[in-house]
C-alpha cells in the first residue's frame, strides 16, 4: 500500500482515496483539504471541481488551467499550518496550509488560508487567500556586465541574459 500524498502517514486507500473516489464524505474541513491536495497529486481534477462551492454568477474554477497545473507539477508535500473550526459538528472552517511542488524545474510553495463550508452534509472549499512568499536569492545577483555564470567567457548581457 502506497502512502497517501497528503502526508498523513496512512495509505491512500484508507486516507484520501475514498473521498476522491466518491465512496465517502470528508468528515472535516482538514480532511477535505488533504483530499484536495491528494487529488492534485494524483490527477483527480474532477474531485477538485466537485469539492468547490459554486455560486451563480461567480467566475468559477478554470478547469483546464487546473488540469494543466496538476499534470505539469510534481507534488512534494502538504503541511497543515493551523485549523479553525471545521470539525464534524461545524458548518464552516478554516485550514491554513502550505502545498509544496515542483514545476518547470522550480521548487514552489503555495501558502493559503482556505475557507470551507458544510452544505447538505458535505464539506466544500469556498474561498482561498493566497499568502505571498518572498523569493530569497540563494546566490549573488549577476550584473549585466559580469561574466556569464554559464562559463562561456562572455558578458552576461551578451549570453544568457540576452533578451529574445
Amino acid at each position: 500500500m502506497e502512502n497517501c500524498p497528503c502526508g498523513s502517514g496512512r495509505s491512500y486507500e484508507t486516507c484520501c482515496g475514498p473521498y476522491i473516489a466518491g465512496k465517502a464524505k470528508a468528515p472535516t474541513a482538514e480532511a477535505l483539504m488533504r483530499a484536495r491536495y491528494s487529488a492534485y497529486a494524483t490527477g483527480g481534477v474532477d474531485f477538485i471541481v466537485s469539492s468547490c462551492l459554486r455560486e451563480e454568477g461567480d467566475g468559477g474554477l478554470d478547469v483546464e488551467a487546473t488540469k494543466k497545473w496538476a499534470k505539469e507539477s510534481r507534488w512534494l508535500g502538504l503541511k497543515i499550518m493551523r485549523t479553525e473550526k471545521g470539525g464534524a459538528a461545524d458548518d464552516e472552517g478554516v485550514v491554513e496550509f502550505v502545498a509544496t511542488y515542483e514545476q518547470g524545474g522550480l521548487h514552489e510553495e503555495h501558502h493559503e488560508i482556505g475557507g470551507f463550508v458544510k452544505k447538505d452534509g458535505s464539506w466544500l472549499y469556498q474561498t482561498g487567500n493566497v499568502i505571498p512568499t518572498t523569493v530569497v536569492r540563494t546566490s549573488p545577483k549577476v550584473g549585466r556586465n559580469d561574466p556569464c555564470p554559464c562559463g562561456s567567457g562572455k558578458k552576461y548581457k551578451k549570453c544568457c541574459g540576452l533578451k529574445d
Side-chain angles (χ1 to χ4, degrees), residues 41-58:
T42 60
V45 175
D46 291 340
F47 176 76
I48 295 164
V49 173
S50 70
S51 63
C52 282
L53 178 65
R54 293 198 227 165
E55 296 179 9
E56 197 172 314
D58 72 2

Side-chain angles (χ1 to χ4, degrees), residues 23-36:
K23 295 178 181 175
K25 292 181 179 182
T28 65
E30 181 180 341
L32 179 63
M33 182 60 243
R34 288 182 176 281
R36 286 174 56 82

